[in-house]
Amino acid sequence: MERSKSQRNSSLQGDLKRLGALAYHRLENSDELVRKFHRFRRRDHADLDHLRKLYSWLFVPITLWPIDIEGLCRAAFDRASSGNRLDTTMILLIDLLPSTPSERTQRKVSEHEHAVQQGNYEPLIQARHKYDQIESQLAGDREFQTQWNSIRAQFDVRNFADHKGIIRRRLVTERSMRDHWPFRWTKTADRFHAVFDVFCQRWNLYGMRRDRPLLLKLTANLTPFGTMIFVPAYWSFDPKRDLNWRAITTLHKARGVQKQGPKLITNQLAALLEAIRAVTLSREADSLKLKGEARTSWMLKELGKDMRTDERQLRRILARARDGT
């Protein structure tokens, strides 16, 4: 049965509200995608299941996106809206996306994103005084001011600032990989970024907000592939005192990370072998026509269990064999 117009509007408003609760201006960036999907979903399209899966990822915190989901949605929705099928590679890409993370994971990561957006790492960091000390020294450093004035004299730095007045250096990614590594000196922008990157390394900055230096912080950040801890070069690092490991571990485990370790693996293997043995014994009990308490007692004895063991534990052992864990 087709939903009423009021139901559709309620669903649309609910999705917009969900998007508006996320960090990094998600509603501002993806409002039209939500509206486009709600218009499109009422049509009969061969790729609707893939489009629904893709749409569900639009509401996942951007920290957990493996690629630009918003851009992928825009390309897929535009193609479908024009009456075309998604190409095979795009279908493969959507198929490769895992199920969306649990609500608990998304909630924890969303809270982390809002804190990061405000530059607030204090819940994870316990040595703010080290940052404050260097920031205070930097504010009064004459050499720093002289170098910044020299850069301003050669470049109109406003051309490289964002809407907040912030100029950011180019990023160094995992394993020091840099897309911008080849040296270029032809364009003014190339010259500025080369100069500014070196300036930021000299003073341990991630950028400038107008004339104010933005000093690097000790941080812990989630990424789609793991949790990254960044220790600035100037920081005298004390791993026991400087980081709130309990909070960082909780954040990392929000993904649903399972416990690991040699002892745990050994115990899991032993439990699985026991479960397989229990299945074999169950078949033998069938051939012996054992039933009820006699069957349970015989199986427990063969498994080397205390005869006072609850029958429910035997059922759990058998269930473990079915689950393969």
Side-chain angles (χ1 to χ4, degrees), residues 161-227:
D162 64 15
H163 65 284
K164 296 180 181 178
I166 296 176
I167 307 171
R168 288 180 169 83
R169 62 170 171 79
R170 293 177 292 191
L171 296 179
V172 177
T173 56
E174 297 171 80
R175 294 180 291 160
S176 293
M177 292 185 174
R178 312 182 207 190
D179 292 336
H180 55 269
W181 185 250
F183 182 77
R184 298 181 177 89
W185 201 247
T186 304
K187 298 179 181 178
T188 300
D190 294 331
R191 298 183 182 187
F192 172 78
H193 287 301
V195 169
F196 193 67
D197 286 351
V198 174
F199 173 72
C200 286
Q201 182 187 17
R202 168 66 180 83
W203 298 103
N204 297 297
L205 310 178
Y206 70 86
M208 294 285 294
R209 185 192 292 268
R210 298 180 177 86
D211 292 330
R212 176 192 167 195
L214 299 174
L215 185 66
L216 287 165
K217 295 181 178 181
L218 177 64
T219 59
N221 280 295
L222 291 181
T223 78
F225 300 98
T227 303

Side-chain angles (χ1 to χ4, degrees), residues 283-315:
R283 291 169 181 161
E284 290 182 22
D286 289 340
S287 65
L288 294 172
K289 301 186 183 306
L290 295 175
K291 296 182 179 180
E293 186 176 339
R295 177 191 182 93
T296 301
S297 298
W298 180 80
M299 289 184 65
L300 290 174
K301 180 180 178 181
E302 293 298 315
L303 286 170
K305 297 290 185 182
D306 191 315
M307 298 304 292
R308 293 168 294 181
T309 299
D310 194 310
E311 183 183 353
R312 287 175 296 181
Q313 183 176 345
L314 181 58
R315 290 200 297 267

Side-chain angles (χ1 to χ4, degrees), residues 12-59:
L12 170 62
Q13 293 307 314
D15 283 356
L16 292 173
K17 184 177 180 180
R18 288 171 60 199
L19 205 60
L22 297 172
Y24 304 132
H25 312 287
R26 295 289 302 284
L27 178 60
E28 177 183 335
N29 295 332
S30 298
D31 173 281
E32 90 284 0
L33 289 174
V34 173
R35 297 181 186 278
K36 180 175 287 189
F37 180 79
H38 275 264
R39 290 193 300 270
F40 174 79
R41 69 189 303 180
R42 299 195 292 273
R43 305 178 190 175
D44 184 18
H45 193 280
D47 296 317
L48 189 56
D49 287 342
H50 284 92
L51 295 169
R52 283 197 182 107
K53 179 180 180 181
L54 181 56
Y55 181 71
S56 69
W57 267 90
L58 192 63
F59 300 91

